[in-house]
Amino acid sequence: VLTEYPSFIGALAAFTSFGARLRGVALDEEGIEIQRLAEVLDGLPAAPKFLYINPYFHNPAGIIYSQERKQRLRELAEERDLMILEDDPYGELYFDQADRPLTLPIKASTGSEATVCYVGSFAKILGPGMRLGWLLAPPAIAEKCELAKQSTDACSSTFTQVLAHAFLAGGHLPGYLTMLRTTYRRRAGTMLAALKEHMPPQVTWTTPRGGFYVWVSMPETLDASRVFEASIARGAAFVIGSAFDPEGRRNNCFRLAFSHTPEEKIARGVEIIGDAVTAELHNV
Amino acid sequence: VLTEYPSFIGALAAFTSFGARLRGVALDEEGIEIQRLAEVLDGLPAAPKFLYINPYFHNPAGIIYSQERKQRLRELAEERDLMILEDDPYGELYFDQADRPLTLPIKASTGSEATVCYVGSFAKILGPGMRLGWLLAPPAIAEKCELAKQSTDACSSTFTQVLAHAFLAGGHLPGYLTMLRTTYRRRAGTMLAALKEHMPPQVTWTTPRGGFYVWVSMPETLDASRVFEASIARGAAFVIGSAFDPEGRRNNCFRLAFSHTPEEKIARGVEIIGDAVTAELHNV
């Protein structure tokens, strides 16, 4: 299985639990690096089962694919007969209405010959406790998935399905999303301002236009686990970068989430983490 | 994996989805046949991973293990180092308080050296839509299961966990169970009376003392699929026996459920199925 680097830890765990060997291809601010992806495909001993991507307000990188990058990925997928698993839990959470066209899934591209399986979720727009999502896939794959799901958990909770249906059928989702977008935009702004204030100049980070996350990159000599230990001792937590590395090695980055935390706590948390990074820079 | 014959279709599907080869050992009215189980163990080319049983108001057989049978199974399991997976979704649903001691799990036996993994569920006492259950297992197995579950579905719905907790913490379960026991006992009685009235003498069935099900056995020359077709055309449905056969062959039995259906419909449904069995007896 090919993935982005960094990539969503839950997907990596699901793939490896079925014995998959993982290979990560780096992301930049516009999406997966197409040239690098082509080179990796050339170098593989066998065709990968699929490429897993998280293009819209990426977990953990926080970025959104540019239209051009999506187009080039689609073309490469067609050319190489590469199946894409397009994971989209955050696409509705854009901060600016003008960015909405960027969230159009590859699955929704007209005239594409690429095989795309698209997965969506209520986890980030109604709540993770719902455990509800959906899949759009070619019939042969959808049938297999249905059988596998039936053998695994019989079915998703009908109780939370009824709740989600009532919420949608009652027309409550659009207003709720507007509220979420406003809240998350404000929290992201607070986090970005705090990063600018508290991080040493050697550290860089992504600027999210939606979603939950900021991805922070330190010089390669630094270890996020050591920064984590110093931060957690003073009450600030984050997820270390190696958790998001399909090859489990690189650990000079980390993921910050602004979604759940009130703004005053965000500012204080980033200050604590900034102090820990600064101390670590002086240590190495 | 060893199972009872008949056995729960959902468990059989879960085991086979992971590549298990299944072997069924017949049940009688007191539980799995111990002598037969010993013979099957002797004849296997390798030790089975575990024995899956559903001892308390069995799905689909409707029976409950006798104390003596449980004791003998435990002894055989100790002697042969056979791990037991004890599945208990129906144990709380006894019709008669006097039968309650029979529902004491093997897992709860003191002084047993047998390795037992015990699974319970809210599916049959609060509702299948909750998708909530529990596992009692040796730590090494519980840890593996936690990891596997995490990689499969991240976690069970926190929403339905909160509901189940509130229901239990509020002390509502005992009264609700009393209501369920009364309702299901009445429905079981209606079904048994209807079977006596409408089934031809060549047909036998189990007499449930709890749970949801009656297991009906026809002469071996009869095919439950044909009886099903004739019955469904007149509005009565059931599950054919081959679905519960780990080896997928035997189909002269079928499962009736009295749990969900009002009494007047139970009587009418059994009449329809009785007619279909009678007609089929005349056909073969």
Side-chain angles (χ1 to χ4, degrees):
Chain A
V1 171
L2 293 178
T3 76
E4 299 150 326
Y5 167 72
S7 182
F8 169 47
I9 180 174
L12 302 179
F15 303 151
T16 52
S17 76
F18 285 91
R21 289 185 301 276
L22 303 178
R23 182 71 185 272
V25 177
L27 281 180
D28 62 29
E29 284 266 356
E30 288 190 46
I32 197 164
E33 293 178 8
I34 302 294
Q35 183 55 36
R36 184 73 197 120
L37 175 59
E39 287 163 15
V40 168
L41 282 168
D42 289 338
L44 288 177
K49 295 286 188 187
F50 56 84
L51 166 68
Y52 169 77
I53 56 172
N54 186 196
Y56 316 105
F57 314 122
H58 190 276
N59 179 5
I63 62 122
I64 184 162
Y65 276 45
S66 69
Q67 297 290 31
E68 191 221 341
R69 194 64 62 89
K70 269 197 290 191
Q71 171 70 15
R72 287 179 61 203
L73 176 57
R74 216 183 76 187
E75 286 162 9
L76 186 75
E78 288 170 12
E79 201 180 297
R80 303 293 188 107
D81 200 17
L82 173 65
M83 187 164 87
I84 295 174
L85 174 53
E86 186 178 28
D87 187 13
D88 185 13
Y90 305 96
E92 291 284 0
L93 300 174
Y94 44 82
F95 298 156
D96 185 339
Q97 183 69 25
D99 281 340
R100 193 177 177 199
L102 289 176
T103 67
L104 186 78
I106 298 174
K107 182 71 180 171
S109 310
T110 50
S112 173
E113 299 290 314
T115 304
V116 181
C117 300
Y118 175 90
V119 288
S121 175
F122 286 118
K124 310 302 177 181
I125 55 176
L126 288 188
M130 308 291 282
R131 308 315 303 144
L132 293 180
W134 53 92
L135 166 71
L136 296 173
I141 293 172
E143 280 162 28
K144 275 275 186 191
C145 291
E146 195 181 338
L147 193 66
K149 184 166 168 54
Q150 212 170 64
S151 305
T152 305
D153 67 2
C155 62
S156 293
S157 168
T158 47
F159 195 91
T160 60
Q161 287 188 62
V162 166
L163 292 182
H165 176 263
F167 196 78
L168 266 64
H172 303 296
L173 190 62
Y176 187 64
L177 284 173
T178 301
M179 186 276 285
L180 291 180
R181 287 172 194 134
T182 308
T183 303
Y184 294 154
R185 180 177 57 226
R186 209 173 48 227
R187 291 180 178 173
T190 302
M191 180 168 277
L192 291 169
L195 283 163
K196 206 169 166 189
E197 187 178 345
H198 298 296
M199 283 294 160
Q202 301 92 325
V203 172
T204 60
W205 52 89
T206 56
T207 300
R209 293 153 74 174
F212 280 20
Y213 308 113
V214 174
W215 182 245
V216 181
S217 299
M218 305 182 293
E220 289 190 12
T221 48
L222 264 69
D223 180 359
S225 300
R226 291 179 53 92
V227 176
F228 180 83
E229 279 165 33
S231 299
I232 197 83
R234 293 179 61 203
F238 53 81
V239 184
I240 60 171
S242 59
F244 303 103
D245 182 359
E247 288 145 57
R249 294 179 290 104
R250 289 158 285 195
N251 202 26
N252 63 309
C253 301
F254 54 88
R255 186 190 79 177
L256 299 180
F258 49 80
S259 45
H260 191 62
T261 312
E263 283 159 271
E264 59 282 8
K265 283 199 172 181
I266 291 175
R268 176 67 188 133
V270 170
E271 187 183 353
I272 289 171
I273 299 166
D275 287 353
V277 173
T278 303
E280 196 55 25
L281 267 174
H282 293 150
N283 276 346
V284 292
Chain B
V1 172
L2 294 179
T3 76
E4 299 150 328
Y5 166 71
S7 182
F8 170 47
I9 179 173
L12 301 179
F15 302 152
T16 52
S17 76
F18 284 91
R21 290 184 302 274
L22 304 178
R23 182 72 184 273
V25 177
L27 279 179
D28 60 30
E29 284 266 357
E30 287 189 49
I32 197 165
E33 294 177 8
I34 302 295
Q35 183 55 36
R36 185 74 197 117
L37 175 58
E39 287 163 15
V40 168
L41 282 168
D42 288 338
L44 288 177
K49 295 286 188 188
F50 55 85
L51 166 68
Y52 169 77
I53 56 170
N54 188 196
Y56 315 106
F57 314 121
H58 190 276
N59 179 5
I63 62 122
I64 185 162
Y65 276 46
S66 68
Q67 296 290 30
E68 191 221 343
R69 196 63 63 89
K70 271 197 289 191
Q71 170 70 16
R72 287 179 61 204
L73 176 58
R74 218 184 76 185
E75 285 164 8
L76 187 75
E78 288 171 11
E79 200 180 298
R80 304 293 189 106
D81 200 18
L82 173 64
M83 188 165 85
I84 295 175
L85 175 52
E86 186 178 28
D87 186 13
D88 184 16
Y90 304 96
E92 291 284 0
L93 300 174
Y94 44 83
F95 298 156
D96 185 339
Q97 184 69 27
D99 281 341
R100 193 176 177 201
L102 289 175
T103 67
L104 186 78
I106 298 174
K107 182 70 179 171
S109 311
T110 50
S112 173
E113 297 291 314
T115 304
V116 181
C117 300
Y118 174 90
V119 288
S121 175
F122 286 118
K124 310 302 178 182
I125 55 175
L126 289 188
M130 307 290 281
R131 311 312 304 141
L132 291 181
W134 54 93
L135 166 71
L136 296 173
I141 294 171
E143 279 162 29
K144 275 275 187 191
C145 290
E146 194 180 340
L147 193 65
K149 183 164 169 55
Q150 211 170 65
S151 305
T152 305
D153 68 1
C155 62
S156 293
S157 168
T158 46
F159 196 91
T160 60
Q161 286 188 63
V162 166
L163 292 182
H165 176 262
F167 196 77
L168 266 66
H172 303 297
L173 190 62
Y176 188 64
L177 284 173
T178 301
M179 187 275 284
L180 290 180
R181 286 172 194 136
T182 309
T183 305
Y184 293 153
R185 179 176 57 224
R186 209 173 49 227
R187 289 179 178 173
T190 302
M191 179 167 277
L192 291 169
L195 284 164
K196 206 168 166 188
E197 185 178 347
H198 299 294
M199 282 295 160
Q202 301 92 326
V203 173
T204 60
W205 52 88
T206 54
T207 300
R209 292 154 74 174
F212 280 21
Y213 309 112
V214 174
W215 181 245
V216 181
S217 298
M218 305 182 293
E220 287 191 12
T221 49
L222 264 69
D223 180 0
S225 301
R226 291 177 55 91
V227 175
F228 179 82
E229 280 164 36
S231 300
I232 196 85
R234 294 178 62 203
F238 54 81
V239 184
I240 60 171
S242 60
F244 303 102
D245 182 359
E247 288 144 58
R249 297 180 288 107
R250 288 158 286 193
N251 202 26
N252 64 308
C253 301
F254 54 88
R255 185 191 79 177
L256 299 180
F258 50 80
S259 45
H260 191 62
T261 313
E263 284 160 87
E264 58 283 8
K265 282 201 173 181
I266 290 175
R268 176 67 187 133
V270 170
E271 185 183 356
I272 290 171
I273 300 166
D275 288 353
V277 173
T278 303
E280 197 54 25
L281 267 175
H282 295 147
N283 277 344
V284 292

